[in-house]
């Protein structure tokens, strides 16, 4: 029979991913289950598929309240709640005295910090996480210190502070070789990268995590991957995959059901619930526009909120303008086109996008635009009377050809007078159509980095050319600039050269180490 004193070192090894022999500990029979066996059983339940039934109950933990092993068991329960995007409850050692570290004060404070973030009380969460980190430093609890740093990254108001905190948490977790802390720190690093406009790095990190994290981590990882525009999970089902599939298939009932399900899943996590609401509004023109989506949707800003991007796998991607009679035009993600029954699709040609951009720009101006202001917005220089009239007429001719029978483009006299005013241009839709909006298209360099990130972090110039459908020389020039800028690096491989993209903090992990060692 294995005693509880032997369970503590087994738990410490399991924290670093070594579960060899754990079955023997858990299978041994004793008159009473000690606190360290509870901790080991909790970590086991968090790690192996289908074993959440092994998670100790609150009553199990309460019998050993204040013991370090029981505190660790409760911390696993708290983490499970957070991974399910629910506030942790019943934290062990809920004492207010920071001197009571042995009773789990740091762990309880960390749980309250997570709760603060879930409720979007960012200042409170940051303050509590800092207090937890200080207490954990005094007792040498590296796991709590790393998790507290991660919560501070989640809660930081400034982008540079959030990035710095997330990178620090990732490096601390790697240095301590604590598996769950590495998972959490890198998940949060990926989230921060997306919010800061580095979605290709987010996809790169999350793509690696999907290959190694236990089952209970997959839903949150998959949700972050979808919001960053990544492909479906290699194993398991991404939380948004059913919703995306239904939207692309034009299955309104299926989409509504999936949207309701994902809203319920994230309802208790205010930050992610807001992002999911934004994502749904960016797909479905029938959804109300949240304040954070309004500038993007109505054409005031090309930047999507929260760094959200359209899922890159399958279907029509990118940013489009939806135009219908009797309804204000607004931008949507390509995934939402399927929900527009019988919509005419006006797609950009490979040779140029100015015509589509002009249609999209005019469609988003419900009151029309002065033709001279419109010319300057499209071409980037002022309209000169007598010199540019023919150019404007040619553009309008191409625009009318693009919209064909779907809309009419009119020129009406302006109420204003003077040399700076011209006629008013208006787009009047006759039926529903969508037009691609090139103003929101990512630069080629970003698309190259995206494709590299989606290709396990490495690809050749020819592979990128085939995937992006742009000339080889164009891709090679872009790669050369990215290498010079340090965004990626080249690795010779025999007669070919592979280009590799990595986060400066999150390098490609050892999949063997992050999977741990198991019987």
């Amino acid at each position: 029979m294995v005693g509880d004193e032997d369970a503590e070192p087994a738990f410490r090894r399991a924290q670093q991913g070594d579960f060899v022999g754990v079955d023997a500990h858990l299978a041994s029979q004793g008159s009473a289950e000690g606190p360290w066996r509870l901790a080991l059983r909790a970590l086991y339940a968090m790690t192996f598929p289908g074993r959440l039934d092994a998670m100790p109950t609150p009553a199990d933990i309460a019998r050993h309240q204040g013991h370090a092993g029981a505190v660790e068991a409760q911390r696993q329960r708290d983490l499970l709640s957070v991974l399910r995007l629910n506030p942790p409850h019943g934290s062990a050692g809920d004492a207010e005295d920071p001197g009571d570290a042995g009773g789990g004060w740091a762990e309880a404070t960390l749980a309250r910090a997570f709760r603060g973030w879930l409720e979007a009380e960012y200042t409170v969460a940051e303050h509590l996480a800092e207090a937890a980190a200080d207490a954990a430093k005094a007792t040498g609890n590296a796991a709590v210190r790393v998790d507290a740093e991660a919560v501070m990254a989640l809660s930081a108001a400034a982008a540079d502070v959030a990035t710095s905190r997330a990178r620090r948490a990732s490096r601390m977790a790697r240095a301590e070789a604590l598996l769950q802390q590495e998972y959490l720190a890198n998940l949060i690093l990926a989230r921060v990268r997306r919010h800061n406009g580095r979605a290709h790095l987010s996809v790169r990190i999350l793509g690696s995590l999907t290959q190694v994290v236990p089952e209970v981590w997959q839903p949150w990882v998959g949700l972050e991957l979808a919001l960053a525009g990544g492909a479906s999970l290699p194993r398991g089902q991404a939380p948004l995959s059913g919703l995306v599939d239904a939207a692309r298939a034009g299955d309104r009932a299926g989409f509504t059901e999936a949207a309701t399900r994902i809203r319920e899943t994230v309802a208790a996590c205010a930050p992610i619930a807001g992002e999911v609401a934004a994502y749904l509004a960016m797909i479905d023109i029938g959804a109300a526009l949240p304040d954070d989506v309004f500038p993007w949707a109505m054409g005031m800003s090309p930047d999507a909120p929260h760094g959200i991007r359209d899922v890159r796998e399958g279907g029509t991607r990118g940013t489009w303008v939806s135009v219908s009679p009797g309804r204000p035009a607004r931008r949507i993600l390509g995934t939402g086109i399927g929900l527009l029954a019988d919509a005419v699709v006006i797609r950009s040609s490979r040779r140029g996008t100015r015509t589509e951009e002009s249609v999209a720009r005019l469609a988003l101006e419900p009151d029309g635009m002065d033709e001279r202001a419109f010319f300057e917005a499209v071409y980037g220089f002022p309209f000169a009377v007598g010199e540019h009239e023919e150019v404007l007429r040619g553009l309008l001719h191409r625009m009318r050809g693009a919209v064909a029978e779907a809309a009419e483009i009119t020129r009406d006299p302006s109420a204003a007078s003077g040399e700076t005013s011209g006629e008013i241009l208006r787009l009047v839709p006759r039926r529903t159509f969508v037009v691609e909006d090139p103003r929101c298209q990512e630069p080629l360099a970003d698309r190259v980095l995206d494709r590299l990130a989606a290709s396990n972090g490495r690809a050749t110039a020819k592979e990128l050319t085939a995937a992006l459908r742009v000339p080889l020389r164009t891709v090679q020039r872009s790669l050369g600039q990215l290498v010079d800028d340090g965004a990626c690096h080249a690795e010779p491989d025999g007669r070919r050269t592979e280009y590799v993209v990595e986060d400066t903090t999150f390098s490609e992990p050892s999949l063997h180490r992050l999977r741990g060692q198991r019987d």
Side-chain angles (χ1 to χ4, degrees):
M1 182 178 69
V2 181
D4 192 63
E5 67 278 2
D6 297 317
E8 180 181 2
F11 172 79
R12 299 302 182 192
R13 292 193 299 271
Q15 279 188 302
Q16 297 185 327
D18 182 0
F19 283 85
V20 174
V22 167
D23 284 337
H25 285 280
L26 298 181
S28 64
Q29 299 297 316
S31 58
E33 192 163 30
W36 282 113
R37 277 171 54 92
L38 291 177
L40 185 59
R41 186 149 61 88
L43 189 53
Y44 179 86
M46 290 286 289
T47 305
F48 290 89
R51 295 313 311 270
L52 284 177
D53 58 337
M55 179 66 71
T57 67
D60 294 333
I61 297 170
R63 284 195 292 270
H64 303 281
Q65 185 170 3
H67 189 283
V71 169
E72 291 290 354
Q74 181 61 49
R75 197 163 65 82
Q76 296 303 314
R77 289 190 61 90
D78 290 341
L79 178 59
L80 179 60
S81 291
V82 172
L83 293 179
R84 290 173 169 173
L85 302 179
N86 290 315
H89 297 288
S91 301
D94 205 14
E96 295 298 328
D97 179 11
D100 187 20
W105 188 89
E107 290 83 354
T109 304
L110 176 63
R112 292 197 295 273
F114 270 118
R115 190 179 301 127
W117 174 73
L118 286 159
E119 295 172 354
E121 297 287 346
Y122 301 123
T123 302
V124 171
E126 195 168 8
H127 172 75
L128 288 170
E130 188 171 3
D134 289 343
K137 184 176 181 180
T139 59
N141 192 326
V144 172
R145 286 184 63 200
V146 175
D147 286 351
E149 196 75 30
V151 177
M152 285 187 271
L154 279 173
S155 306
D160 56 341
V161 174
T163 300
S164 175
R165 291 284 194 189
R167 294 175 67 183
R168 176 176 167 80
S170 178
R171 288 168 176 162
M172 287 170 62
R174 187 168 64 243
E176 298 290 345
L178 297 169
L179 241 58
Q180 289 199 11
Q181 280 60 50
E182 285 199 69
Y183 298 152
L184 181 64
N186 287 312
L187 170 59
I188 291 171
L189 176 62
R191 179 176 172 80
V192 169
R193 291 298 196 194
R194 168 168 62 84
H195 276 261
N196 293 346
R198 308 294 298 278
H200 67 279
L201 294 177
S202 179
V203 170
R204 182 73 190 97
I205 296 168
L206 295 166
S208 291
L209 288 179
T210 60
Q211 301 177 55
V212 295
V213 295
E215 184 179 31
V216 295
W217 292 80
Q218 291 284 348
W220 189 2
V221 172
L223 179 59
E224 292 289 345
L225 185 60
L227 292 174
S232 298
L233 292 179
R235 58 188 175 91
Q237 187 179 41
L240 294 180
S241 60
L243 180 140
V244 169
D245 292 343
R248 288 175 173 169
D251 179 3
R252 169 60 68 173
F255 174 82
T256 301
E257 181 182 349
T260 300
R261 187 167 55 249
I262 188 63
R263 284 194 187 99
E264 291 173 350
T265 300
V266 303
C269 179
I272 294 182
E275 293 174 18
V276 167
Y279 183 76
L280 294 174
M282 294 167 73
I283 293 175
D284 182 12
I285 62 168
L289 278 180
D291 291 343
D292 51 358
V293 181
F294 191 87
W296 173 85
M298 305 312 292
M300 302 169 186
S301 169
D303 300 323
H306 312 296
I308 294 172
R309 302 191 307 174
D310 206 2
V311 176
R312 289 296 193 262
E313 186 178 71
T316 301
R317 301 184 294 273
T319 301
W320 300 69
V321 176
S322 170
V323 190
S324 298
R327 172 181 285 174
R330 78 187 227 189
R331 284 179 178 142
I332 62 170
L333 296 178
T335 292
I337 292 176
L339 295 173
L340 302 173
D342 302 321
V344 175
V345 178
I346 301 173
R347 191 183 301 270
S348 299
S349 64
R350 291 184 62 182
R351 292 188 176 182
T353 58
R354 180 168 287 151
T355 300
E356 290 77 12
E357 175 191 335
S358 302
V359 172
R361 186 185 295 275
L362 191 58
L364 289 166
E365 295 289 343
D367 297 325
M369 286 187 73
D370 179 276
E371 62 181 9
R372 296 175 187 178
F374 174 75
F375 180 93
E376 183 170 353
V378 171
Y379 287 98
F381 51 85
F383 179 85
V385 177
E387 182 178 350
H388 297 140
E389 184 68 36
E390 190 67 28
V391 176
L392 178 59
R393 281 200 297 267
L395 174 62
L396 294 175
H397 175 74
R398 293 191 299 275
M399 290 170 63
R400 291 185 175 111
V403 298
E405 300 300 319
E408 179 184 6
I409 296 175
T410 65
R411 296 178 76 175
D412 303 317
S414 171
S417 60
E419 294 186 0
T420 59
S421 64
E423 294 184 309
I424 298 298
L425 301 176
R426 289 187 176 86
L427 186 146
V428 183
R430 296 194 180 106
R431 59 173 298 181
T432 299
F433 72 92
V434 290
V435 59
E436 198 166 10
D437 193 344
R439 291 174 295 172
C440 298
Q441 188 179 58
E442 296 158 347
L444 177 61
D446 288 350
R447 285 183 283 148
V448 168
L449 290 173
D450 280 347
R451 179 50 56 180
L452 277 174
S455 305
N456 291 323
R458 60 177 62 233
T460 65
K462 288 185 177 180
E463 290 167 345
L464 293 170
T465 295
L468 296 172
R469 298 181 181 179
V470 294
L472 176 60
R473 289 187 181 276
T474 303
V475 171
Q476 289 173 330
R477 283 196 297 270
S478 181
L479 285 167
Q481 185 62 55
L482 289 169
V483 170
D484 290 343
D485 292 343
C488 67
H489 63 273
E491 289 186 0
D493 182 17
R495 298 180 61 181
R496 68 180 199 162
T497 299
E498 287 189 331
Y499 294 86
V500 182
V501 60
E502 293 289 3
D503 190 287
T504 54
T505 299
F506 179 88
S507 58
E508 176 63 22
S510 164
L511 298 186
H512 175 75
R513 177 173 60 80
L514 288 187
R515 285 193 182 103
Q517 303 175 44
R518 307 172 188 176
D519 287 333

